[in-house]
Amino acid sequence: MSYLLWIIQIMFVPLVAPLGVGLINSLKARIQKRRGASLLQPYRNLWKLFYKDEVISRDASFIFRFAPFIAMGVTIIVGACLPIFTSTLSTPMSDLLAVVYTLALGTFFMALAGMDSGSAFGGSGSSREMTISAIVEASFISSILTVAFLSGTTNIAVMSAGLSPGSGNFLIPIVLAFAAFCIVLLAETSRYPFDNPDTHLELTMIHESMLLEFSGKRLALMEWAAANRLLIFSILAVNLFFPIGIAHDQAVLSVLLGISSTLLKVAIVYIVLAVLESTIAKYRFFRLPDLLLVAFVLNVVAIGLVL
Amino acid sequence: MMSALASPTMLIAAMALFGIGGVGAVLLRKSDRLANYWSSAFALFGSVTALVFAVSMLASGQTFVAQTTSDSFPLLSFALNIDRLAAFFLVTISIVTFFCSLYGIGYIKQYYGRYNIGYLGFLYNLFIVAMLLVVTSSNGIFFLIVWEIMSLASYFLVAYDRHDPENVKAGFLYLVMTHIGTAFILLAFILLYVHTGSFDFTVIQAAMPTVPAHIKDSVFLLALIGFGVKAGIIPLHIWLPAAHPAAPSHVSAIMSGVMIKTGIYMMIRLFLDVLQPAPLWWGIVVLVIAVASCVLGVLYALTEHDIKRLLAYHSIENIGIILLGVGSALVFSALGMSGLAVLALTAALFHTLNHAIFKSLLFLSAGSVIHATGTRNMEKYGGLIKLMPATGLFFLVGSIAISALPPLNGFFSEWLTFQALFQGIAQTDFYIKWLFIGVTAALALTSGLAVACFVKAFGVTFLARPRSQRAEKAHEASAVMIAGMAGLAVLCVAVGVGSSWIIAQLQTIAQGVLSAGDHATLVTVTSGHILSIAEGFATVSAPLLSLLLIAVPLVVWTITRFGINRSQRVTTGRTWDGGTDLTSRMEITSTGFARSIILIFRGLLKPSLQHSVEYEDAASRLIPRSRSVTLSVQDVYRRYLYRPVFIGFIHLSHWIKNGIQNGNINAYILYILVVLLVMLGLVGVW
């Protein structure tokens, strides 16, 4: 049973993530009065890219060649550490700081790969990406820290077991920390209003401009890793702050309930993202620190209320 | 066997080896090559001997005390006390000096025929001996003598490349600042002597209960300033970004890696050991200084495009992170939480060791880059990883380690520092809790910015295309230089993977310093090398983390390479250039990369932008000949702190010259009379 659960745990993020991207894209198409592609289109895209030939810049070094594997590997590792459907699968890998910094390792190599080919776009994309991720890190750590103090452990896999659901005292700090975490989510996964995931317009893009030189298998891995990242942050958002339905034992019924409740909650996050991206405009780059400051203040208040 | 290695003979042997190396180098100065080999080889032997001695001291857990005091000549008194803390710093120093000496054999060659290698060898060995004695001495006077030798030797090393006037200026600034620091330290020791009657640390510690509180507070402030200058805390740091780049790279590596740590060592020794018990506000002051140093240090590093100045500012940042641990330990021990104090001090010690390793690695690989390109300006680099792959790899390892990314050593010491701060938030009272919340946020911000800064440093230096002709013709470092860097890079990995074992050892050292028993154990290492804080509040397993981070990307690579579409064709082509010729001027530069962060923090950094246009014809101003834009960051410390003091001193000396020292003999006789009368009066009062 435990082995089976581990297999589900490890496979969940990479297998489900492209579906989420498909969901967002088709919803956005509907809002724009288009029919849009099928929900499974991202899987087809990945398949297509994996079977294409590849061009690598002659200026690029081994960093460019290995960065996609590191970026993908990091999201698989972190994906396996999350409280996806149960709070019973825990390893020392699920430590809050280990997760944050492992994700940062992926960003580090992705930013270096952006600079590696020597194009003007890649470099400016890396610069913008690192600017945002440098400032967002403090909010990332402190919003999860609020829950950690409530539950008495920084192991995110078992954190939800320490929270007694429905306890009124926790509600205000959790809601504040959740609001902060939502801003972190938007920033870390390059969504509106920080970045426009659909555009290749040089003035606005951040994440995409680092990927411009990638093609074939490496581009597939980079896009897959970005989808995984979005799912990782969504799972963190729903299962750390609102762990309703998550299984606290390994019985078949509670595991099934856990999986379906997570899918439902993550779907809600994706729907909100799609609506958000269809209704608001992207912020000017230098207004983003204001938003991150808001996240930071929310966190400080939340931690202050916990203690 | 163990006792033989841990005997003082080993220490004396190490000193003697350095001595032979130094003196021999001077005697062999006629031949550059011989002097280099002689001094470097004996520095290597000395480092190994000191390392073996210190490690066996730590392993056997004994303390070595040696003393010769003479009451009539206090200047001649000599006292060594090697406890676990001193032995730990001996280990740190000798590891770094070993690899730097190895690297030096190759690096010094560029000075052949230009400078005297014999004197370099002499000063280098003297510098190391003085550092080893600084961390082992236990007598104020003896300490000050070796401290001064260390400062002077390093001054001569900073100004060694004397044909560049900038280096001479940097050396002078260092000389002035370090002596200001020494003056404060001297005052602190004199105050202690007046109230305890001794310069000996153990006697001072024993007499501590009789010393009035305000004297202790003054000693704390004086020592904080004095040792803070050496450690490079903001705002006393101004010598550091000037002096570290000026010295030869293997010396910069030692200065940045271990010399500034002697300031940290003395702070730990005095504040957490000799002057205990300490009031709460000491810890708060240290924490505030630490926050300023780490946040501002990394922000200034981002503004730099001189690779060695960038690394020097990162030393300030990391000193700040170490002081976060020391300050938290002070706060916790003042609140009587000895377990937490041990945790915080362990984190500080571990970060001291790690910073010594990765910072010297970074300075050495920066040295290879400078050696190959002839400039410290990062804008003139680019694409070096293809020309010097080994150096590039080592710089990458150092960058990952200093950015606190797993699985290298920097991550685990920062992790431990975070845990100390988390426990501070969880277990202290209202006001102190808010202090720790702020400090935690500052550390998180610092580490985020450090990652950005090293993406910039590595990317601009080693990736994309060369941006100057010198960079196009760069060459790989020589074999000994690579060996020196490789050793440190391996240590970065090994200390990261073995961090749980090392943390357990450091915890015993910290318990010894704080005289806390085993019951105050917060860090436990459970089976499978899992590090656990406060009964499972946080757990991490270094071997598992390292294994996964290596294995999973490899599995992904294997599957994508061999599992899917094996017949894929990979071709090499040009970077997409949008239809224009892509030149190296279109790459992102160091200034450009950091510009957005600088603008976000413009309130702190005060960046300035100057446009100037030169015209062909000054009268009509129609056709511009050249346009230039100057970007700079204000040196607020010199402008608002040092300059007013400097101007004040000039005014004071003018006043003394014109008012008191007026050349009139009668007036001088009057002064003598007045002083005499005052003295007589004082004697009468007594």
Side-chain angles (χ1 to χ4, degrees), chain A residues 93-275:
Chain A
M93 279 299 298
S94 305
D95 179 69
L96 157 66
L97 293 171
V99 163
V100 171
Y101 283 87
T102 305
L103 284 171
L105 183 72
T107 315
F108 179 81
F109 275 99
M110 209 187 298
L112 285 182
M115 298 172 84
D116 202 4
S117 59
S119 90
F121 298 113
S124 59
S126 302
S127 161
R128 292 172 189 170
E129 172 91 5
M130 290 319 296
T131 305
I132 290 181
S133 75
I135 305 174
V136 82
E137 197 172 292
S139 301
F140 188 7
I141 293 175
S142 45
S143 55
I144 300 182
L145 202 55
T146 306
V147 190
F149 282 131
L150 283 175
S151 101
T153 173
T154 57
N155 187 319
I156 57 170
V158 297
M159 218 177 249
S160 53
L163 289 178
S164 47
S167 168
N169 299 344
F170 294 172
L171 200 61
I172 298 174
I174 284 206
V175 167
L176 289 176
F178 175 70
F181 189 81
C182 288
I183 298 177
V184 172
L185 182 150
L186 297 173
E188 284 274 4
T189 57
S190 317
R191 314 298 299 193
Y192 269 83
F194 290 87
D195 191 6
N196 185 344
D198 301 325
T199 187
H200 281 147
L201 187 67
E202 60 180 286
L203 291 177
T204 54
M205 64 181 166
I206 299 175
H207 179 76
E208 289 295 316
S209 62
M210 293 192 293
L211 310 187
L212 273 182
E213 287 302 318
F214 284 100
S215 55
K217 286 179 180 175
R218 288 188 171 76
L219 180 60
L221 285 177
M222 281 300 210
E223 297 207 330
W224 202 346
N228 288 345
R229 214 177 153 83
L230 180 60
L231 185 59
I232 287 169
F233 276 87
S234 307
I235 289 175
L236 283 176
V238 295
N239 279 354
L240 284 187
F241 298 92
F242 305 104
I244 309 158
I246 197 163
H248 293 305
D249 53 56
Q250 301 196 342
V252 180
L253 206 63
S254 44
V255 166
L256 285 179
L257 180 71
I259 294 178
S260 46
S261 70
T262 300
L263 284 175
L264 185 71
K265 285 187 285 184
V266 167
I268 296 173
V269 172
Y270 280 32
I271 292 168
V272 172
L273 273 180
V275 173

Side-chain angles (χ1 to χ4, degrees), chain B residues 88 92 96 231 240 244 252-261 264 310-322 347-363 398 401-402 409-410 413 454 488 492 495:
Chain B
F88 164 72
T92 312
V96 171
L240 207 145
H244 287 203
S252 326
I254 293 180
M255 285 178 74
S256 215
V258 286
M259 187 196 76
I260 60 174
K261 306 289 166 41
I264 297 288
L310 181 143
L311 294 176
Y313 273 120
H314 271 287
S315 296
I316 297 172
E317 175 222 331
N318 280 286
I319 285 292
I321 295 175
I322 295 169
L349 292 178
F350 194 30
H351 201 70
T352 304
L353 174 68
N354 288 339
H355 180 249
I357 294 171
F358 58 64
K359 184 48 68 68
S360 45
L361 170 62
L362 285 166
F363 261 109
I402 197 173
N409 56 358
S413 49
F454 274 91
L488 288 166
C492 279
V495 173

Side-chain angles (χ1 to χ4, degrees), chain A residues 57-59 95 101 154 217, chain B residues 415 447 465 537 560 573 575:
Chain A
S57 163
R58 70 161 83 102
D59 301 319
D95 179 69
Y101 283 87
T154 57
K217 286 179 180 175
Chain B
W415 185 86
S447 67
R465 288 176 299 279
F537 180 76
T560 16
T575 302

Side-chain angles (χ1 to χ4, degrees), chain B residues 261-272:
Chain B
K261 306 289 166 41
T262 58
I264 297 288
Y265 165 76
M266 282 310 288
M267 286 190 199
I268 295 176
R269 174 65 79 203
L270 283 183
F271 304 160
L272 284 165

Side-chain angles (χ1 to χ4, degrees), chain A residues 47 49-63 65-66 68-70 72-74 76-77 81 91-105 107-109 111-113 115-128 130-135 137-139 141-142 145 148-149 152-155 212-213 215-218 221 224 285-286 289 296 299-301 303-305 307, chain B residues 385-386 389 392-393 396 399-400 403-407 411 414-415 418-419 421-423 425-426 433-434 437-438 440-441 443-445 447-449 451-452 454-456 458-460 462-465 530 536-541 544-545 548-550 552-554 556-577 582-583 586-588 592-597 599-602:
Chain A
W47 186 267
L49 286 172
F50 271 120
Y51 282 88
K52 284 204 167 228
D53 287 343
E54 195 169 333
V55 185
I56 291 180
S57 163
R58 70 161 83 102
D59 301 319
S61 66
F62 71 89
I63 301 273
R65 289 166 188 270
F66 289 123
F69 307 108
I70 295 173
M72 182 70 188
V74 156
I76 291 175
I77 295 173
C81 301
T91 63
M93 279 299 298
S94 305
D95 179 69
L96 157 66
L97 293 171
V99 163
V100 171
Y101 283 87
T102 305
L103 284 171
L105 183 72
T107 315
F108 179 81
F109 275 99
L112 285 182
M115 298 172 84
D116 202 4
S117 59
S119 90
F121 298 113
S124 59
S126 302
S127 161
R128 292 172 189 170
M130 290 319 296
T131 305
I132 290 181
S133 75
I135 305 174
E137 197 172 292
S139 301
I141 293 175
S142 45
L145 202 55
F149 282 131
T153 173
T154 57
N155 187 319
L212 273 182
E213 287 302 318
S215 55
K217 286 179 180 175
R218 288 188 171 76
L221 285 177
W224 202 346
F285 186 72
F286 285 107
F296 180 68
N299 279 322
V300 170
V301 175
I303 294 183
L305 284 176
L307 302 158
Chain B
I385 200 163
K386 287 176 217 83
L393 184 67
L396 182 66
S399 301
I400 295 175
S403 308
L405 295 174
F411 170 72
E414 205 153 307
W415 185 86
F418 264 119
Q419 298 309 331
L421 300 178
F422 289 171
Q423 294 302 320
I425 299 176
K433 189 187 299 293
W434 281 100
I437 291 177
T440 308
L443 180 57
L445 178 68
S447 67
L449 290 169
V451 179
F454 274 91
V455 168
K456 164 184 134 161
F458 183 79
V460 168
F462 288 100
L463 303 181
R465 288 176 299 279
I530 297 168
F537 180 76
T539 46
V540 76
S541 160
L544 182 65
L545 194 59
L548 282 177
L549 281 171
I550 293 163
V552 175
L554 267 180
V556 173
W557 178 78
T558 318
I559 293 176
T560 16
R561 179 73 186 77
F562 301 107
I564 311 167
N565 185 16
R566 291 177 71 163
S567 57
Q568 188 202 30
R569 267 191 320 129
V570 179
T571 45
T572 309
R574 276 170 35 195
T575 302
W576 184 69
D577 52 14
L582 199 61
T583 68
M586 293 174 193
E587 291 164 16
I588 188 116
F593 191 92
R595 194 64 187 163
S596 43
I597 294 181
L599 284 179
I600 288 169
F601 290 96
R602 59 186 172 277

